[in-house]
Amino acid sequence: MRSSLTRLWLVASCLLIPLTNCSKEPANSAADARYKTVATVGMIADVVRQIAGDKTEVEGLIGEGVDPHLYKPTGSDVKKLQAADIVFYNGLMLEGKMGDVLVRVASSGKPVHAVTERILESKDFVMSTEENHYDPHVWMDVAGWIKASSVIGDSLAKYDPANANYYKDRTSQYIDQLNKLDEYARVSIASIPEGKRVLVTAHDAFSYLGRAYGIEVRGIQGLSTESEAGLKDINQLVDFLVENKIPAVFVESSVSQKNIKALIEGARANGHEVKIGGELFSDAMGPTGSYEGTYIGMIDHNVTTITRALGGDAPAGGLNGKLSN
Ligand code: ZN
């Protein structure tokens, strides 16, 4: 039932848009014809750009500062997915509200890949949340994004075999850069004095970072300052900050400043000054066209900001000297 409806839907849509968009083969009739790649989040779109270079035209659907967990695909997103030659998404339920559309697009026979498919195969890598869902934030551990990059490289080579060696070379060059980033993260976080290696944020996106680089992660997500339980939990976190003299807590663009301010005020009332250590990129990257608008720049920003705010050693410009402060 569903598949015949899907087929009808596809036939109808193919009549409405130029026929070339319905082709499943790479457009190679003209030298400058590039195939179209659509990615859900910016972290994936960036890796496709790094690996595919000018071979493809890449479009990311979910923009800067937008929460992918709650993102609902628009009509224009559906058209872009239909018109794409190849599609990449994170998976592990990150794009919760896009699932149906992605299934529909994949059922047309178009290559649609979850970049976390290899992470899921190696069961010991993937983390779970308390509600027993997989934690989708695998890009926070660079080793996770290395696995994702290899899925992207191999999928592009399979789709466009004439350029397979090109993708293979660029994937390994990019992974070399990611290995440097991974090492930088490890060394930087390890330079934070041991008792201060605690990352306090409002959203639970940082568990993979904590596990990979040895920093305890404490989130206040789910707490409400209006409820008794919320107040109790915030007070416990305040006690923890004061007792351990943790110098900084961190905000994200999606964070409730109210809870963070309650933490800071609570610590101050107990004679301990906590500052906001900076804004971290959790589920979206920085502005398009900036260094922070790339995956490497995003992680470099997070690691450098956390390290410096908690008393560790990291250059202000980060791994590549490119961070704007
Ligand atoms: Zn998230």
Side-chain angles (χ1 to χ4, degrees):
M1 183 66 184
R2 182 186 200 128
S3 67
S4 58
L5 271 179
T6 305
R7 238 171 267 131
L8 265 178
W9 174 82
L10 279 163
V11 168
S13 61
C14 283
L15 294 173
L16 294 172
I17 52 181
L19 277 173
T20 48
N21 285 344
C22 288
S23 162
K24 290 179 193 82
E25 296 304 315
N28 52 10
S29 51
D32 63 343
R34 300 191 297 166
Y35 63 91
K36 285 191 172 66
T37 303
V38 169
T40 52
V41 292
M43 294 78 85
I44 298 173
D46 178 52
V47 176
V48 176
R49 280 188 196 103
Q50 304 296 333
I51 292 175
D54 59 4
K55 303 287 181 216
T56 185
E57 189 186 320
V58 187
E59 179 136 31
L61 297 181
I62 308 174
E64 128 199 19
V66 178
D67 180 355
H69 302 286
L70 304 174
Y71 185 81
K72 279 176 122 169
T74 63
S76 123
D77 291 338
V78 175
K79 284 199 190 99
K80 284 172 189 164
L81 286 164
Q82 266 177 263
D85 296 296
I86 182 165
V87 175
F88 292 101
Y89 67 106
N90 187 77
L92 305 180
M93 293 296 284
L94 176 75
E95 305 94 338
K97 302 208 183 320
M98 293 189 97
D100 285 351
V101 179
L102 290 166
V103 165
R104 214 159 59 186
V105 169
S107 72
S108 69
K110 183 183 303 221
V112 176
H113 298 278
V115 301
T116 57
E117 65 187 36
R118 272 175 211 165
I119 288 165
L120 204 50
E121 279 164 20
S122 51
K123 291 278 184 215
D124 52 339
F125 189 91
V126 71
M127 298 176 85
S128 295
T129 62
E130 281 169 18
E131 306 83 48
N132 258 338
H133 290 126
Y134 289 128
D135 181 339
H137 304 93
V138 290
W139 56 90
M140 290 295 176
D141 175 352
V142 179
W145 227 226
I146 287 173
K147 291 180 206 284
S149 299
S150 72
V151 169
I152 292 171
D154 291 350
S155 305
L156 292 171
K158 194 174 165 202
Y159 175 73
D160 180 18
N163 291 305
N165 284 333
Y166 175 88
Y167 300 122
K168 203 175 156 204
D169 289 349
R170 289 179 64 105
T171 302
S172 74
Q173 285 161 20
Y174 186 60
I175 288 176
D176 285 348
Q177 291 182 57
L178 294 185
N179 278 317
K180 288 195 186 103
L181 178 67
D182 188 50
E183 182 61 15
Y184 173 74
R186 201 174 312 284
V187 169
S188 299
I189 301 286
S191 75
I192 299 168
E194 205 182 333
K196 308 281 181 280
R197 247 172 260 156
V198 182
L199 176 62
V200 178
T201 64
H203 162 242
D204 64 353
F206 296 91
S207 299
Y208 287 95
L209 182 146
R211 183 183 67 178
Y213 307 116
I215 185 166
E216 187 182 341
V217 175
R218 296 236 179 170
I220 50 176
Q221 193 213 25
L223 302 188
S224 160
T225 49
E226 270 118 27
S227 74
E228 289 299 316
L231 274 177
K232 191 173 149 232
D233 289 343
I234 283 183
N235 286 338
Q236 277 173 357
L237 205 43
V238 165
D239 289 346
F240 177 83
L241 292 172
V242 173
E243 273 163 32
N244 295 284
K245 298 193 164 46
I246 302 301
V249 293
F250 298 85
V251 294
E252 310 153 51
S253 46
S254 60
V255 128
S256 163
Q257 294 270 338
K258 195 176 164 188
N259 286 341
I260 289 288
K261 280 187 181 136
L263 280 184
I264 291 172
E265 278 159 24
R268 186 175 293 144
N270 286 282
H272 175 58
E273 282 298 323
V274 182
K275 62 179 198 274
I276 292 179
E279 185 173 273
L280 303 180
F281 298 116
S282 48
D283 293 358
M285 308 192 300
T288 308
S290 70
Y291 177 57
E292 289 82 353
T294 65
Y295 169 69
I296 289 177
M298 164 195 193
I299 299 297
D300 190 3
H301 166 89
N302 286 352
V303 165
T304 304
T305 302
I306 293 165
T307 300
R308 291 171 65 84
L310 296 177
D313 285 326
L319 167 67
N320 294 312
K322 290 182 181 171
L323 292 175
S324 58
N325 287 292

